[in-house]
Amino acid sequence: MAPKLERFTSPGKGNGLRATGRIRKGEPVYSAEPLACCVSNKAARQVCHHCFTRCESLLRCSQCKMARYCDTTCQKRAWSGHKRECKCLRSLLPRIPTDSVRLAARIIFTLVRLRSLAPSLYTLEEHESHLSSMSPQKREGLSQLAAMLQLYLQQEVPNLTQEMTLVIPPSCQEPLSLIAKVTCNCFTISDGELQEIGVGLYPSLSLLNHDCRPNCVMVFEGTKLHLRAVQDISPKEELTISYIETVSLTVDRQRQLEEQYHFTCHCQRCDSQDMDGLMLSGDEAAWRPMKEALPRLGELQAEFDWQAVLEGCSSLLLPDGGAVPDENLYKLRVTDLALDACVHLAHWEEALRYGEKTLPVYRQYYPDPHPVHGVQLMRVGKLHHYLGHIEETMDTFTQAYEIIKVTHGSAHPLTCDLRGKLEECRADCKKHIHRL
């Protein structure tokens, strides 16, 4: 099959990818396995380090005590990639290197193991490090990561040094340069419900440029990345994704893009600042406490102190006579945190109340078809289903399916799971009607 994308020079942006022909909304554009990847430290105890599947019970590597696997089959298949890493992890115990350090090391191990790589649209040598445009503070932070990488690799350096000079591009042999390339070009690997489970480097897709209202989305099946169109795309039109969470103020999006990716976004949404007024709607004196509380609520979430999260959110979300509408950005974030807390605490009816409040706002901020809106509809549908609300479950799952089949594709496990839930609901409806 002829490729649907090609590399080109994007005006004002440098390298980019564009469509070779017409692409319809919902079509798959490109799929790729990573050059290298690793499970995130935060998900290390819940996700298989080979197939990236979530499991309640995982087998732990008896040597490094960190890598975990579904079963012995995954453990055996992972060994060729884990062998060198295992020795490095053991040398640092009980310390665990950051995700970016582990990914950089895995890139080195992969290049040494494979010796040569399949052709790609964008070589590792071509990847931008942006070191010359970095602030001194960021460069210092990356220098510390580079020092950690050297320490991490110390157990393997005598065996690696000669091999590295033969197979690793010159610009990647310097640890600081490699770490900079990794942090600027890697992708977060997420599960079907868009929760982070790992990081990976997908060289050809590093060419994709950012837009705050992109025409493509990335979804994953295990470690395999699928690029899918969420708008109709014309021949020679640039393919874009969003590098960041787009439901935030223009000034915050631009700051994050400049700090992390070293460019200023001039997309239509940034230039018009079209959603900022809605995101800041309401009485500032009433919503400012929500904004100021979010960092601490985030800390409590990271500590899994769900009771404290819920208490904090509940006090902020007390009836205010409409002083802060549901569309306010900070109210939405607090409501989402309250939903998460209720789910973890098994407060199902309260969770449903918070979830229902978010749906009209998600519909405004995540124009369909958007995977974030689809997944939120699924979450609310599951709550309806658990509480026995048959008609509401059918309605919510149907809305979710119309989005997910476009963003994830009809064969994705999440879509198949949702289709199964819809069939189960239809059967429940028939039983309910028969009883009547």
Side-chain angles (χ1 to χ4, degrees), residues 162-432:
Q162 187 174 359
E163 294 175 281
M164 283 173 62
T165 56
L166 294 173
V167 298
I168 295 179
S171 70
C172 300
Q173 292 176 16
E174 167 60 40
L176 177 60
S177 176
L178 179 58
I179 281 287
K181 285 174 184 269
V182 166
T183 56
C184 286
N185 293 282
C186 70
F187 291 120
T188 297
I189 299 171
S190 57
D191 61 16
E193 296 190 12
L194 311 181
Q195 299 300 305
E196 178 187 345
I197 55 173
V199 287
L201 188 70
Y202 299 78
S204 292
L205 294 173
S206 297
L207 287 164
L208 287 162
N209 284 314
H210 166 87
D211 195 287
C212 294
R213 195 170 281 128
N215 55 21
C216 293
V217 294
M218 295 185 307
V219 293
F220 293 85
E221 277 188 82
T223 62
K224 191 170 188 177
L225 187 161
H226 299 286
L227 184 71
R228 300 184 61 85
V230 290
Q231 299 174 19
D232 290 336
I233 300 170
S234 303
K236 304 301 181 184
E237 183 179 343
E238 181 165 14
L239 304 175
T240 57
I241 58 170
S242 177
Y243 292 176
I244 59 171
E245 166 55 65
T246 54
V247 177
S248 54
L249 298 172
T250 302
V251 65
D252 293 331
R253 295 197 309 274
Q254 295 207 326
R255 184 187 303 114
Q256 185 180 353
L257 290 166
E258 286 166 1
E259 289 176 357
Q260 193 169 346
Y261 299 102
H262 310 282
F263 72 92
T264 300
C265 184
H266 291 295
C267 72
Q268 183 275 332
R269 188 172 163 207
C270 281
D271 286 346
S272 68
Q273 300 184 25
D274 61 348
M275 302 298 279
D276 287 9
L278 188 60
M279 290 183 185
L280 293 177
S281 56
D283 180 359
E284 182 173 352
W287 58 251
R288 183 160 291 281
M290 298 181 187
K291 178 183 179 182
E292 292 170 352
L294 281 166
R296 177 56 186 155
L297 290 171
E299 290 170 7
L300 292 169
Q301 180 188 34
E303 295 164 6
F304 305 108
D305 190 346
W306 296 111
Q307 187 60 46
V309 171
L310 182 56
E311 288 170 4
C313 292
S314 298
S315 65
L316 290 164
L317 294 170
L318 290 170
D320 57 14
V324 184
D326 292 341
E327 292 81 7
N328 179 278
L329 174 64
Y330 306 112
K331 186 172 185 179
L332 176 63
R333 290 178 178 171
V334 172
T335 307
D336 262 331
L337 280 170
L339 168 59
D340 285 347
C342 288
V343 168
H344 282 90
L345 294 168
H347 296 179
W348 306 121
E349 291 186 357
E350 193 176 358
L352 179 58
R353 284 198 299 273
Y354 286 125
E356 289 278 18
K357 271 186 168 293
T358 68
L359 290 182
V361 189
Y362 269 59
R363 195 171 292 114
Q364 283 183 283
Y365 287 150
Y366 295 105
D368 288 341
H370 198 293
V372 173
H373 183 209
V375 167
Q376 190 76 346
L377 282 161
M378 271 195 75
R379 293 185 78 194
V380 173
K382 287 177 183 177
L383 291 167
H384 276 304
H385 192 234
Y386 184 83
L387 292 167
H389 305 160
I390 299 173
E391 290 183 12
E392 292 86 348
T393 303
M394 274 292 295
D395 179 55
T396 311
F397 277 165
T398 300
Q399 290 180 60
Y401 184 73
E402 290 304 309
I403 296 170
I404 296 293
K405 72 179 182 182
V406 174
T407 60
H408 288 61
S410 58
H412 192 280
L414 187 73
T415 319
C416 295
D417 179 50
L418 185 52
R419 201 158 44 235
K421 283 183 167 58
L422 273 169
E423 288 168 5
E424 187 182 331
C425 285
R426 289 190 188 102
D428 288 345
C429 278
K430 286 178 182 176
K431 288 178 188 173
H432 182 68

Side-chain angles (χ1 to χ4, degrees), residues 109-181:
F109 300 151
T110 299
L111 292 172
V112 167
R113 186 175 80 251
L114 297 181
R115 296 286 173 174
S116 62
L117 299 174
S120 67
L121 295 169
Y122 198 40
T123 66
L124 189 57
E125 176 76 4
E126 292 177 290
H127 280 57
E128 292 281 354
S129 70
H130 296 288
L131 283 169
S132 60
S133 58
M134 267 178 207
S135 67
Q137 294 90 337
K138 181 162 185 183
R139 193 180 177 106
E140 174 58 28
L142 289 181
S143 296
Q144 291 175 14
L145 291 177
M148 187 188 290
L149 176 62
Q150 288 177 294
L151 179 65
Y152 181 57
L153 293 173
Q154 202 167 301
Q155 287 296 313
E156 284 291 302
V157 164
N159 304 319
L160 276 176
T161 304
Q162 187 174 359
E163 294 175 281
M164 283 173 62
T165 56
L166 294 173
V167 298
I168 295 179
S171 70
C172 300
Q173 292 176 16
E174 167 60 40
L176 177 60
S177 176
L178 179 58
I179 281 287
K181 285 174 184 269

